[in-house]
Amino acid sequence: AQKITQTQPGMFVQEKEAVTLDCTYDTSDQSYGLFWYKQPSSGEMIFLIYQGSYDEQNATEGRYSLNFQKARKSANLVISASQLGDSAMYFCAMSSSNDYKLSFGAGTTVTVRA
Amino acid sequence: DTGVSQNPRHKITKRGQNVTFRCDPISEHNRLYWYRQTLGQGPEFLTYFQNEAQLEKSRLLSDRFSAERPKGSFSTLEIQRTEQGDSAMYLCASSGGGGPQETQYFGPGTRLLVL
């Protein structure tokens, strides 16, 4: 069984600053993938970034980077230079080589202040 | 726009009525997933298809729920005899044939309210 834990229910960040969203996971699989999605108030889940368990380098996509620490089973998302449009719910999720479905955490609400 | 689409976007129904939702995946994707999300929670897996075959169903999918993907393209999710506890956002996602760690792309969801 896979489990994703996001311990921060909500966070405030000043515009143009960076914010780190925590995600820890638990799995017995050796091959797995970690994903971050953004969900604005409109409801659509927007894919942000992916990290494979065998990837040696941390993934980056524009202002998003994933701080992957395999031994600690953590996959934190860093959003740099926050913008007002970054205000949303953010979900960490994972899938494994034996399981196509995504397991999601409870999410973190990010509010960017001007 | 070639993303995942879902219809309707909103549905209000009375308890005991049947409802049906439709999902059109990204055209070249062979896998299609349904998730349910209640307020303040992360999405929970319901079921998934590879082409027209339904390969896995969650125990959340009671016998009042049925999903189909008749020609391996669009999918429908039907809820019979709706209950107030069925009120949720129903999300559809699709992915290509690149293995279990391929990225799933989501549609805008269908918000269901059962009165």
Side-chain angles (χ1 to χ4, degrees), chain B residues 6-73:
Chain B
Q6 291 186 247
N7 289 288
R9 295 289 308 276
H10 303 273
K11 180 71 177 178
I12 300 174
T13 190
K14 293 182 179 178
R15 189 177 54 183
Q17 298 295 305
N18 299 345
V19 295
T20 300
F21 309 142
R22 175 177 170 129
C23 172
D24 288 88
I26 293 171
S27 58
E28 62 268 28
H29 285 179
N30 61 345
R31 292 193 183 91
L32 186 148
Y33 310 79
W34 286 98
Y35 294 84
R36 182 171 70 186
Q37 184 180 24
T38 53
L39 200 61
Q41 302 296 319
E44 295 175 294
F45 169 78
L46 291 178
T47 188
Y48 100 92
F49 293 83
Q50 181 166 311
N51 299 313
E52 65 275 11
Q54 188 174 17
L55 296 187
E56 187 175 348
K57 293 192 291 186
S58 163
R59 58 181 178 274
L60 292 176
L61 213 65
S62 75
D63 55 6
R64 297 184 298 105
F65 289 70
S66 62
E68 294 183 341
R69 195 183 183 196
K71 297 183 179 179
S73 56

Side-chain angles (χ1 to χ4, degrees), chain A residues 51-107:
Chain A
Q51 178 85 42
S53 59
Y54 292 117
D55 294 341
E56 294 186 352
Q57 290 192 329
N58 287 340
T60 60
E61 287 287 348
R63 295 187 296 110
Y64 304 108
S65 61
L66 200 152
N67 183 2
F68 180 47
Q69 298 187 45
K70 192 170 182 178
R72 297 181 60 186
K73 292 189 174 180
S74 74
N76 298 340
L77 176 72
V78 180
I79 306 174
S80 62
S82 296
Q83 302 172 356
L84 296 177
D86 294 335
S87 294
M89 191 83 157
Y90 289 81
F91 290 97
C92 180
M94 74 178 298
S95 64
S96 73
S97 59
N98 300 318
D99 201 347
Y100 286 85
K101 64 181 178 284
L102 288 172
S103 298
F104 285 84

Side-chain angles (χ1 to χ4, degrees), chain A residues 31-33 35 37 39 41-45 47 50 89 91 95-97 99-102 104-106, chain B residues 9 31 33 35 37 40-43 45 48 56 89 91 99-108 111:
Chain A
S31 177
Y32 51 88
F35 304 81
Y37 287 86
Q39 188 175 42
S41 56
S42 59
E44 184 171 358
M45 298 284 284
F47 166 70
Y50 162 81
M89 191 83 157
F91 290 97
S95 64
S96 73
S97 59
D99 201 347
Y100 286 85
K101 64 181 178 284
L102 288 172
F104 285 84
Chain B
R9 295 289 308 276
R31 292 193 183 91
Y33 310 79
Y35 294 84
Q37 184 180 24
Q41 302 296 319
F45 169 78
Y48 100 92
E56 187 175 348
M89 171 81 95
L91 293 163
Q101 295 166 29
E102 63 203 17
T103 299
Q104 294 182 24
Y105 294 91
F106 284 79
R111 292 185 189 270

